Amino acid sequence: YHCTGGGHDWWQTDPYSFGPVLGPTDDFLIAEGTHLRLFDKIGAHVIDHEGARGVHFAVWAPNAQLVAVVGDFNGWDHRRHPMRRRADVGVWEMFVPDIGAGSAYKFRVTGPDGAVLPLKADPLAFASELRPATASVIAEIGKPDWGDAAHRAHWARTDPRRAPMTIYEVHAGSWRKPDEREFLSWDELAEQLIPYVLDMGFTHIEFLPVSEHPYDPSWGYQTTGLYAPSARFGGPDGFARFVDGAHRAGLCVLIDWVPAHFPVDAHGLAHFDGTALYEHADPKLGFHPDWKTAIYNFGRREVASFLVNNALFWAEAYHVDGLRVDAVASMLYRDYSREAGEWIPYAQGGRENWEAVAFLQAMNKAV
């Protein structure tokens, strides 16, 4: 459309002239909880669609009355881009032409009772703003020019159970913290940390969680962006370069992974569509008394799939060699840190959380 107003004129491509990107196979697999390519389909993806270049947005919010994508590309005006709902699975999607990587965005969600929620960050965002800002950022994942083929081929033909290993565990946010700045970048860490670890004789680097998190003293164990390397250390491509450099030097990279719980910050997963979506509604199951965090509902297919996909994502997009799963005991036992009367036994009795067991088994199988 050719538009005029306020003494200006411009061309505008109508986003509602484009058809959907997701299809019936996506709907089927999402509903079944067996979609193993969610990070290719949900979130924000720069794509070519029906002759135009733009960004496809998709977010799971089945109980919402309305979801709109807002960002610096539309003046954060929710009236500009209300999204379409895929009725069978409760995924809202929209293709917005003529925008690309680097834009900040969030989702404006109207809950089932008509109340407008605080703006929500994208659960599958590939990048985020640096705290205290909380918006998601449209970004490409990984890097196109990996040089670690020899490393991956070696481990493909090696039994890791028979290979000696010694792990250097490190918090990227405090290792040799610079005086003049808050954090080293991933590239600076690569220059200093990789030769240090090699010189010390270690075979593996294990990072405390690298996913986006709002609160520095949590060390990353209360994450709000499972799919986004933290902006503290630069863009997501920087983390990919670090892993690639470590692999070229003969080191493996492990990351701490936190599928047990998540913080209840307003921009995060808590009551994402106005209901207990990712967490249990009953606090005896869905709230952790020690950490004041929400516990994932592992028995919900879509939630388990979200987490399984995240494990696959780090392995595929960033070539990480392994995951150290955090707080497993809190996942396996319903009475973890709870007194009598503060927890709910399993339907057949007992304190074991068999839904969490099934999730961990599914994750290990998928990986």
Side-chain angles (χ1 to χ4, degrees):
Y1 297 97
H2 183 238
C3 308
T4 60
H8 302 278
D9 70 286
W10 66 95
W11 287 92
Q12 183 74 35
T13 307
D14 178 12
Y16 299 98
S17 66
F18 296 90
V21 174
L22 301 179
T25 300
D26 295 310
D27 290 343
F28 178 83
L29 296 175
I30 290 170
E32 195 178 53
T34 57
H35 204 311
L36 297 181
R37 306 293 309 180
L38 282 182
F39 46 90
D40 281 346
K41 302 290 187 172
I42 309 296
H45 297 267
V46 180
I47 62 170
D48 294 303
H49 182 52
E50 296 181 355
R53 185 75 168 173
V55 175
H56 176 243
F57 296 96
V59 62
W60 180 54
N63 302 303
Q65 286 189 13
L66 181 66
V67 179
V69 60
V70 296
D72 51 20
F73 53 87
N74 63 9
W76 299 90
D77 185 348
H78 67 276
R79 300 168 297 178
R80 296 276 299 278
H81 294 111
M83 301 172 75
R84 295 170 171 144
R85 186 178 189 273
R86 301 187 70 82
D88 290 341
V89 290
V91 171
W92 300 75
E93 71 166 326
M94 186 177 198
F95 176 74
V96 180
D98 304 327
I99 66 172
S103 291
Y105 70 99
K106 282 186 175 182
F107 296 112
R108 184 185 187 269
V109 180
T110 303
D113 58 356
V116 177
L117 303 176
L119 294 181
K120 292 290 189 180
D122 183 356
L124 276 90
F126 298 144
S128 299
E129 291 182 311
L130 177 63
R131 58 92 181 98
T134 57
S136 302
V137 177
I138 300 168
E140 305 282 359
I141 59 174
K143 63 196 295 283
D145 55 342
W146 287 89
D148 61 349
H151 171 90
R152 290 161 70 83
H154 167 77
W155 285 105
R157 61 176 182 266
T158 301
D159 183 353
R161 297 168 298 179
R162 298 181 180 277
M165 64 188 297
T166 178
I167 301 170
Y168 185 75
E169 185 180 23
V170 60
H171 177 228
S174 58
W175 190 84
R176 290 188 182 176
K177 197 166 184 175
D179 295 330
E180 68 280 6
R181 290 173 291 111
E182 285 192 292
F183 307 105
L184 295 172
S185 69
W186 283 118
D187 292 324
E188 291 170 325
L189 281 165
E191 291 178 2
Q192 300 180 41
L193 180 58
I194 291 174
Y196 176 81
V197 171
L198 284 171
D199 185 60
M200 294 285 285
F202 291 94
T203 62
H204 291 60
I205 299 172
E206 178 192 333
F207 283 112
L208 274 62
V210 299
S211 295
E212 195 56 80
H213 54 284
Y215 186 50
D216 290 4
S218 79
W219 295 351
Y221 289 99
Q222 295 197 12
T223 180
T224 51
L226 273 179
Y227 287 78
S230 176
R232 291 165 176 82
F233 318 110
D237 55 329
F239 180 64
R241 287 193 297 272
F242 182 96
V243 177
D244 194 30
H247 286 174
R248 294 186 194 206
L251 292 172
C252 294
V253 177
L254 314 176
I255 59 171
D256 279 16
W257 186 54
V258 191
H261 64 118
F262 58 89
V264 294
D265 297 61
H267 70 280
L269 296 180
H271 282 77
F272 189 83
D273 64 355
T275 68
L277 188 64
Y278 286 87
E279 70 272 40
H280 283 279
D282 192 323
K284 291 183 177 180
L285 291 172
F287 189 75
H288 198 288
D290 286 350
W291 304 320
K292 305 299 186 287
T293 52
I295 299 171
Y296 286 104
N297 183 351
F298 302 109
R300 188 163 194 167
R301 293 189 299 272
E302 298 92 340
V303 174
S305 179
F306 168 77
L307 295 170
V308 167
N309 270 268
N310 187 244
L312 295 172
F313 170 80
W314 289 106
E316 178 168 323
Y318 291 100
H319 293 198
V320 300
D321 299 281
L323 304 170
R324 178 261 177 186
V325 187
D326 182 62
V328 173
S330 74
M331 300 167 64
L332 296 181
Y333 300 104
R334 291 168 171 246
D335 63 346
Y336 186 90
S337 284
R338 300 179 190 272
E339 302 295 334
E342 296 178 348
W343 58 283
I344 300 174
Y346 193 65
Q348 283 76 35
R351 65 191 186 104
E352 293 79 9
N353 188 339
W354 294 112
E355 294 172 344
V357 171
F359 154 68
L360 290 169
Q361 291 172 331
M363 181 272 294
N364 275 303
K365 180 180 178 181
V367 171

